[in-house]
Every structure is written in C-alpha cells, then in structure tokens.
Amino acid sequence: MNTSQIFTGTIRRCTEHEVHSIFSLSTYIDGQCIGCDGIGSVHIDSEIYKENAVLIKLQNGDYVDLESLDSILDYIRIYQSYSYGLRGLMMSSFQPNHVGELFVDDTSLKPYYGDEQASKHVSVYQLKKRVEASK
C-alpha cells in the first residue's frame, strides 16, 4: 500500500445517538418506500476509544485500525481494497449511525509518514513491525 494511506488519529465510540425529527414524509408505491424526506437534527455524543491509533485509509474512504489486523486474510483484503469482509474492522470518519459504533475523528488525522517518505510502498507487516518498535 502507499504510505500516503497511513494516518494517526483518534478513534471515538458513540455513546448517544438521538434523532430529533420535526417533519418527515415517505412516499410508498405498492407498499414499497420509494422516497423519504425529513427535517430535523441528530444529537451525537462520543467518548475517546483510542488515541494515536495507526489507521489505514481504504479506497472507499473508510479506515482500518492497524492493531485490529491479525490474519493474513485481513492483510490480503487490505491490499486488494475489498471492503467486503472487513465490516467489523472498518470505521468511517462520518457521523455514527448507532450507539456503540466506532468512528474516526477526522479532525485528529495526521499523516504517519513525513513528506520525504510520501508515495512509497509499505506492507502491513513492515508497518506493524515499525509501530511495535516505536513503542
């Protein structure tokens, strides 16, 4: 993978997710919902789950915590950028959808590698060894 895909950042866990709907309208045809509109807001609270996590950004924009990768199958899926099968490992940097969901705080993201090492290739194995050595 490219070194520009590696970041450090904070992982947060959603502790409260309340939808406050002022108005909603759904359109149904033959019992099938074909459109929904609504006005309202979502109140979200979260707590820090993990700080300074090493994160790998996938092509679909989601992130995977390096420490959560522990099998060769996980490594292969990362290299092939398959999101299928990584559902439990992937986190978005958008709002969470439910209480307990982990997500990446996008304001905390910083590149792991400096400019001098940008656009080089690194394997997950090499990255794990580097992170473990720096602890």
Side-chain angles (χ1 to χ4, degrees):
M1 88 190 86
N2 198 318
T3 55
S4 62
Q5 293 175 255
I6 315 299
F7 295 89
T8 60
T10 301
I11 299 173
R12 302 186 69 86
R13 180 193 337 246
C14 179
T15 57
E16 186 177 344
H17 188 277
E18 291 182 29
V19 177
H20 302 283
S21 181
I22 297 171
F23 170 79
S24 64
L25 173 68
S26 300
T27 305
Y28 290 88
I29 295 179
D30 294 331
Q32 182 89 14
C33 182
I34 61 164
C36 297
D37 284 325
I39 299 172
S41 63
V42 178
H43 173 73
I44 296 173
D45 274 337
S46 64
E47 64 187 10
I48 294 176
Y49 176 77
K50 185 177 184 182
E51 289 185 305
N52 298 319
V54 178
L55 304 163
I56 300 170
K57 186 175 184 178
L58 302 176
Q59 287 179 348
N60 66 359
D62 287 342
Y63 293 87
V64 175
D65 182 7
L66 180 67
E67 285 187 13
S68 68
L69 300 174
D70 56 2
S71 74
I72 192 67
L73 190 56
D74 292 340
Y75 295 171
I76 291 169
R77 288 178 180 149
I78 288 293
Y79 282 116
Q80 294 179 345
S81 294
Y82 287 147
S83 59
Y84 177 76
L86 290 174
R87 267 295 138 208
L89 303 175
M90 291 184 344
M91 297 169 282
S92 90
S93 61
F94 302 115
Q95 289 185 17
N97 293 317
H98 56 83
V99 172
E101 183 178 359
L102 298 178
F103 64 101
V104 175
D105 180 0
D106 59 351
T107 62
S108 70
L109 290 174
K110 294 181 176 78
Y112 183 79
Y113 289 95
D115 292 336
E116 70 280 351
Q117 295 174 322
S119 299
K120 291 185 179 178
H121 265 328
V122 65
S123 71
V124 172
Y125 178 76
Q126 291 170 326
L127 182 59
K128 271 196 155 197
K129 281 195 157 268
R130 179 181 171 140
V131 170
E132 288 172 7
S134 68
K135 288 184 178 179

